[in-house]
Amino acid sequence: MSNPALIDFHCHLDLYPDHVQAIADCERERVFTLAVTTTPKAWARNHELTKDTKYVRAALGLHPQLVGQRAQEIGLWEELLPQTRYVGEVGLDAGPRFYRSFEAQKAVFERVLTACARAGDKVLTIHSIRAAKTVLDMLEQHLPARRGTAVMHWFTGSQSEARRAVDLGCYFSVNHEMLASAKHAELVRTLPLDRLLTETDGPFTRSGDRPARPSDVNAAVVQLAQLLGRPQDAVAELLLNNLRSLVTSRA
């Protein structure tokens, strides 16, 4: 792996006005970026644009908020899975807007986890809004740690659920908006240092008056350093070591 300066482990690069420029910026600024997709139909373009990059990896997703309209695309998702090690955005959303599709979401997520376990060695970035327990139940049942690694994206479950996720081998990607919440920052403070990664979830978070870009992930590094009482350079190196451990391991 080329030596990045920063890590954005969950970003929707294809939702920026200029997708090609967004990727070029990651390369120029040396931001290891996991470019998540929301549907498998978006995969081909993302893969084509990132397959020869140093710092950007495209993840194959089927977003739980879209399952109500696109559950049938899980078949295409399964066909494409052999082309990538990275999976996301996938998971469950039990918020009021999406709870109607929750049973369908669980059916899709089970197929995602089962396919990943069968393939082995996949890295997944997982959405778990108001559904942490169910997500963890399903990970435990369908994706043993030796068959793949889950990264909990913007995790907002309880501290006991976080401890359970740690026990299941999960990592956690945190962003500046998450760390701005006292409750969520306290949860992050309790996590093992060797399971932490940073993200932006751009363009759905903001930096000042504009959507956050991958390089804005440095704000999360600064906040983590303050939260942990450690020098910023040491935290940055810790995060890079965590990324190396994640992407060089073989489940």
Side-chain angles (χ1 to χ4, degrees):
M1 179 182 69
S2 297
N3 193 33
L6 293 164
I7 302 159
D8 186 353
F9 208 78
H10 190 105
C11 188
H12 299 262
L13 288 182
D14 60 355
L15 299 184
Y16 287 81
D18 190 333
H19 186 186
V20 172
Q21 186 60 51
I23 294 169
D25 289 344
C26 293
E27 291 289 281
R28 176 173 50 82
E29 295 163 336
R30 294 173 40 231
V31 185
F32 182 99
T33 305
L34 189 63
V36 298
T37 52
T38 55
T39 73
K41 288 185 177 179
W43 161 254
R45 178 64 172 161
N46 277 267
H47 177 60
E48 179 62 28
L49 290 175
T50 61
K51 62 184 175 64
D52 296 321
T53 60
K54 288 184 179 180
Y55 298 108
V56 185
R57 303 290 182 270
L60 174 65
L62 181 47
H63 200 297
Q65 294 178 353
L66 299 181
V67 164
Q69 298 78 43
R70 294 176 176 266
Q72 73 283 357
E73 290 186 29
I74 185 60
L76 175 60
W77 185 96
E78 289 167 331
E79 289 178 24
L80 294 171
L81 183 62
Q83 297 184 43
T84 182
R85 188 183 179 200
Y86 296 95
V87 170
E89 183 166 357
V90 295
L92 299 176
D93 193 313
R97 288 178 58 201
F98 305 104
Y99 191 73
R100 184 182 306 175
S101 67
F102 197 62
E103 290 305 312
Q105 291 178 41
K106 288 195 289 186
V108 165
F109 191 44
E110 180 176 338
R111 285 177 67 174
V112 166
L113 296 177
T114 300
C116 288
R118 187 165 55 244
D121 197 36
K122 303 299 185 185
V123 177
L124 299 79
T125 177
I126 296 182
H127 178 113
S128 59
I129 295 295
R130 298 193 183 186
K133 180 184 183 300
T134 307
V135 164
L136 295 173
D137 287 346
M138 294 182 71
L139 281 172
E140 187 169 34
Q141 183 175 359
H142 301 294
L143 186 66
R146 67 184 184 280
R147 299 299 302 163
T149 307
V151 180
M152 307 305 291
H153 147 62
W154 201 333
F155 186 77
T156 57
S158 68
Q159 292 210 11
S160 63
E161 288 166 337
R163 287 193 296 272
R164 184 181 174 203
V166 169
D167 290 343
L168 291 173
C170 299
Y171 285 68
F172 299 80
S173 58
V174 303
N175 60 57
H176 67 281
E177 290 193 10
M178 181 180 180
L179 292 165
S181 158
K183 176 184 176 183
H184 297 149
E186 178 57 25
L187 183 146
V188 171
R189 194 183 62 78
T190 69
L191 297 173
L193 297 181
D194 63 356
R195 299 292 183 83
L196 293 175
L197 297 165
T198 46
E199 62 161 70
T200 62
D201 200 20
F204 297 108
T205 57
R206 301 194 67 77
S207 179
D209 60 356
R210 59 166 173 77
R213 297 189 287 256
S215 59
D216 294 319
V217 79
N218 190 59
V221 180
V222 172
Q223 288 166 294
L224 271 176
Q226 293 170 344
L227 180 67
L228 300 174
R230 291 176 172 237
Q232 185 179 331
D233 288 351
V235 171
E237 185 61 30
L238 168 78
L239 294 166
L240 290 174
N241 286 336
N242 293 347
L243 177 67
R244 291 186 190 101
S245 295
L246 175 64
V247 303
T248 61
S249 65
R250 284 293 180 263

